[in-house]
Amino acid sequence: MATHDSPLPDEAQEWIRQNANLTGHLEAQLCPGGRSNLTYRVHDANGHAVIVRRPPQGMVLPTAHDMAREFRFLSALAPLDFPVPTPIAFCNDSSLLGAPFYLMSEAQGLILRNQEGAQHLTVATRAAIGPNLIATLALLHSYDPTALGLTGGGDPREYLTRQIDRWLRQVTKVTTFAPRVTETVTRVGADLLEQLPATTQVGIVHGDFRLDNVVVNSDGTIQAVLDWEIASIGDPLADIGIFGVYWMDADDTRMNGINSATKLEGFASRVELYALYGELRRIDPARISYYQHFGSWKLACILIGVVERYRMGATGGDSSSVDGYPALIDELLGAAQLSR
C-alpha cells in the first residue's frame, strides 16, 4: 500500500469485498498522521469506503501492535454507543497483506493535529472540546471490563509495573540511539517503579488518549476515539496522565512537537481538565501528577520505537519527518523525572 491510490493484492481485495460489501476494483490510501499502526482508506469505484488497520511494516517492537486486541476492544465498546468506529471484520491471515489486519467503519469529522486544523473553529467550539474529551474518558473509565468480557492477561492492579517493565525491555532492543538515552530511560523507569502508587480503581485503559486520536464534530462533540493498539485493563489514571502530557496550555513553553492546537484561544487549561476529571471520577486531581510523569516516560519510549523504525527504513509510506523527535524524547525524559 502507498500514500497514493494503489491496487491491493487480489486475495486481499476479495476478502475485503466479501466482508465490507464493496464491489469491483479497490484502491487504498494511507491516512496521514499514523506513526505506529497504519491506517488505510480502501474504496471502490462507487465511492464506498472502509478503513483498514494493520501493523507497521518492517521492524516491530514486541507486543505493541496487536490487531486482535484493537478489534476486541472496539467490539466490546461499539454496542454501548461509546464513540468508536464500528468494527467490521478481523483477518488473522498474514498472507493477504503481510500481517493480521481488521476492517472498521469510517468516522467522519475533524482530526485536530495542529493549530492550522483548529484555527477555523470558533472559540466556543474550542472551549467545548476539552470538557467533551474528559467526559468521554470518564465514561470509558466507568465501564466494568469484566462485564464486557475484557478479561485475561495479568493482574490489572499490576498494570503500571507491567507497563514499565515492558517498555524497558522494548527500549533495550533498539540499536540506533546513544547509550545515554537508554541509560536515562532505565534510570527514570526504575524511579517510577520505586515510587509506584497503589492502584485503587481498575478499568479500561486506552493507553494513548489525546486530541489527535479522536474525531471531533464541528460543534466540539466527540465522534470517535481512534487508535486502540495499546489498550488494556489496568489503572485508568494512566490515561488522564498521558492526556496531560499531550495537552498544551496557552503559555506552555514545551516543544510544539506534541500538538500545539490547544494553545489557541478558547481551549481549557490542563488544570481545569484535571479538575473536571477528578469531579467526574471522584478522585483528588493531585493524584494525577505521578501519572503525568509516567505518561512522559512512556511517550518517550514510544517515540524511541517510532524513530528506530524510521531509521531502519520502515516508514510504511509515511514521508513525514521524525527529525525533531530525538530532542522531544530528551524533553519528555526530563519531564518524567520524579522529585525525591
Side-chain angles (χ1 to χ4, degrees):
M1 296 180 179
T3 54
H4 52 78
D5 278 6
S6 59
L8 292 158
D10 291 342
E11 297 83 357
Q13 287 201 45
E14 180 59 26
W15 192 93
I16 294 172
R17 280 194 294 266
Q18 290 180 359
N19 287 277
N21 198 29
L22 301 183
T23 59
H25 181 69
L26 304 181
E27 299 287 343
Q29 290 178 310
L30 178 64
C31 299
R35 294 294 192 181
S36 190
N37 285 351
L38 302 176
T39 304
Y40 294 88
R41 184 180 187 270
V42 175
H43 61 92
D44 62 19
N46 296 318
H48 300 138
V50 67
I51 299 298
V52 173
R53 285 274 288 173
R54 59 147 293 156
Q57 298 169 347
M59 188 277 293
V60 173
L61 293 174
T63 77
H65 307 281
D66 188 344
M67 293 293 94
R69 173 168 52 195
E70 281 200 38
F71 191 78
R72 183 163 60 96
F73 276 85
L74 290 177
S75 298
L77 292 168
L80 305 177
D81 289 331
F82 184 82
V84 291
T86 302
I88 298 171
F90 174 75
C91 180
N92 201 36
D93 184 353
S94 296
S95 69
L96 298 185
L97 289 179
F101 65 95
Y102 71 88
L103 310 180
M104 66 182 185
S105 64
E106 183 178 24
Q108 301 287 344
L110 307 170
I111 299 180
L112 304 177
R113 296 191 175 94
N114 47 45
Q115 287 192 8
E116 183 180 1
Q119 280 176 339
H120 70 283
L121 299 175
T122 66
V123 171
T125 295
R126 293 179 202 153
I129 290 173
N132 285 336
L133 282 168
I134 294 299
T136 299
L137 186 61
L139 176 61
L140 175 68
H141 293 164
S142 73
Y143 294 134
D144 178 357
T146 302
L148 299 180
L150 295 172
T151 57
D155 183 345
R157 296 189 181 276
E158 296 179 356
Y159 169 80
L160 290 173
T161 300
R162 290 198 309 276
Q163 280 281 295
I164 295 170
D165 287 344
R166 178 175 298 146
W167 288 107
L168 281 173
R169 289 196 307 272
Q170 292 183 355
V171 167
T172 63
K173 298 179 185 296
V174 304
T175 61
T176 67
F177 279 81
R180 68 164 184 83
V181 177
T182 53
E183 288 167 3
T184 303
V185 169
T186 301
R187 176 176 54 79
V188 176
D191 288 344
L192 288 166
L193 279 173
E194 183 180 336
Q195 300 188 47
L196 199 73
T199 295
T200 59
Q201 296 177 328
V202 168
I204 298 172
V205 181
H206 177 276
D208 197 19
F209 191 86
R210 53 191 167 99
L211 176 59
D212 46 335
N213 267 348
V214 300
V215 179
V216 178
N217 294 316
S218 59
D219 61 356
T221 56
I222 308 305
Q223 176 66 26
V225 180
L226 309 176
D227 292 354
W228 293 82
E229 63 193 82
I230 52 177
S232 188
I233 307 302
D235 190 333
L237 292 182
D239 273 342
I240 186 64
I242 201 163
F243 173 87
V245 173
Y246 282 106
W247 193 271
M248 299 184 75
D249 289 340
D251 59 352
D252 209 317
T253 59
R254 292 179 298 161
M255 290 177 57
N256 287 349
I258 296 177
N259 187 338
S260 61
T262 56
K263 297 183 73 171
L264 294 173
E265 180 186 3
F267 281 103
S269 71
R270 186 186 306 109
V271 169
E272 290 171 333
L273 296 179
Y274 280 175
L276 176 59
Y277 181 86
E279 178 183 341
L280 293 174
R281 296 294 297 151
R282 296 187 175 91
I283 67 154
D284 180 356
R287 292 181 57 197
I288 298 172
S289 176
Y290 171 91
Y291 297 88
Q292 186 172 327
H293 287 283
F294 166 73
S296 294
W297 180 84
K298 176 180 172 180
L299 180 56
C301 294
I302 291 171
L303 295 182
I304 286 170
V306 171
V307 173
E308 176 87 348
R309 285 196 303 276
Y310 272 62
R311 287 173 174 174
M312 301 290 285
T315 66
D318 186 347
S319 60
S320 53
S321 174
V322 298
D323 290 346
Y325 279 22
L328 178 56
I329 289 165
D330 287 343
E331 184 178 82
L332 288 165
L333 290 175
Q337 300 188 47
L338 295 162
S339 58
R340 290 185 172 274

